[in-house]
Amino acid sequence: ATAEGDVTSELPAGHIFKASPRAPAAVDAKGKKAAALPEGFYDDQRKDAKARNAAQEFNQRMHQELEKLQHELSQEAEVQYEKDQQSARTWNMSREMDECMNMAQAHERLESVRLRLEQYRAHGAQPHGTVGLCGVDATAHSDSDSGSDTAEDGLDIYGWR
């Protein structure tokens, strides 16, 4: 029989309370015993790496991930920059097209006024001498005259009234 103090020896192999032989502790490169904690034992990755004496590996891995993130961000920034440049070019082209259309409309209005002025002159409607741009008699324009106005001369070349 066994002594009363050695109850665990009677337990079957693999039982919770039976002492299992321990594996020898691993020794790292510095001669220190490495902790036998599994990776991920701590929720905090930095503490976990420190407990397993793998802080250098952790720092290298973090540095690699940081470089990868910076590379991805720079690529995204380049793509966004190209999109912004394309948008600016499109906006400038649109603005230039609007400017050209406005200039063409102004040219058409100017030609219309020029044609109307030529028709007016061709019909001999110059009662007071030379007609100015606004249809006012340029030679007889004075405060003492009858004060002829463009409406009185019958010429309203701008059509703004």
Side-chain angles (χ1 to χ4, degrees), residues 84-132:
D84 290 345
Q85 290 296 317
Q86 181 64 29
S87 176
R89 284 190 295 269
T90 302
W91 184 81
N92 284 337
M93 287 176 55
S94 174
R95 186 176 49 99
E96 288 175 2
M97 288 175 58
D98 288 344
E99 231 175 78
C100 288
M101 288 175 51
N102 289 339
M103 287 175 63
Q105 289 173 351
H107 182 69
E108 287 176 13
R109 286 192 310 267
L110 182 63
E111 283 298 312
S112 172
V113 168
R114 188 184 61 78
L115 289 174
R116 288 175 62 194
L117 184 59
E118 286 178 6
Q119 289 174 355
Y120 181 75
R121 287 182 179 166
H123 292 309
Q126 296 181 354
H128 300 295
T130 309
V131 177

Side-chain angles (χ1 to χ4, degrees), residues 22-156:
R22 292 189 176 222
V27 178
D28 65 0
K30 295 181 182 178
K32 294 181 180 178
K33 289 185 178 180
L37 295 175
E39 186 174 349
F41 182 77
Y42 292 105
D43 289 336
D44 184 8
Q45 292 181 357
R46 187 173 305 273
K47 282 184 181 179
D48 188 55
K50 187 175 181 181
R52 291 182 298 109
N53 294 326
Q56 186 176 9
E57 293 171 16
F58 174 77
N59 290 337
Q60 287 176 349
R61 189 176 60 216
M62 288 293 121
H63 184 69
Q64 289 172 348
E65 288 181 20
L66 178 63
E67 286 178 351
K68 182 180 175 184
L69 176 65
Q70 288 174 340
H71 180 70
E72 289 175 5
L73 290 175
S74 68
Q75 285 180 339
E76 288 178 15
E78 288 175 10
V79 168
Q80 185 62 37
Y81 178 76
E82 289 298 322
K83 285 180 182 178
D84 290 345
Q85 290 296 317
Q86 181 64 29
S87 176
R89 284 190 295 269
T90 302
W91 184 81
N92 284 337
M93 287 176 55
S94 174
R95 186 176 49 99
E96 288 175 2
M97 288 175 58
D98 288 344
E99 231 175 78
C100 288
M101 288 175 51
N102 289 339
M103 287 175 63
Q105 289 173 351
H107 182 69
E108 287 176 13
R109 286 192 310 267
L110 182 63
E111 283 298 312
S112 172
V113 168
R114 188 184 61 78
L115 289 174
R116 288 175 62 194
L117 184 59
E118 286 178 6
Q119 289 174 355
Y120 181 75
R121 287 182 179 166
H123 292 309
Q126 296 181 354
H128 300 295
T130 309
V131 177
L133 285 177
C134 295
V136 177
D137 185 2
T139 57
H141 190 288
S142 66
D143 293 334
S144 61
D145 284 345
S146 63
S148 63
D149 205 11
T150 57
E152 294 172 3
D153 287 345
L155 179 64
D156 185 16

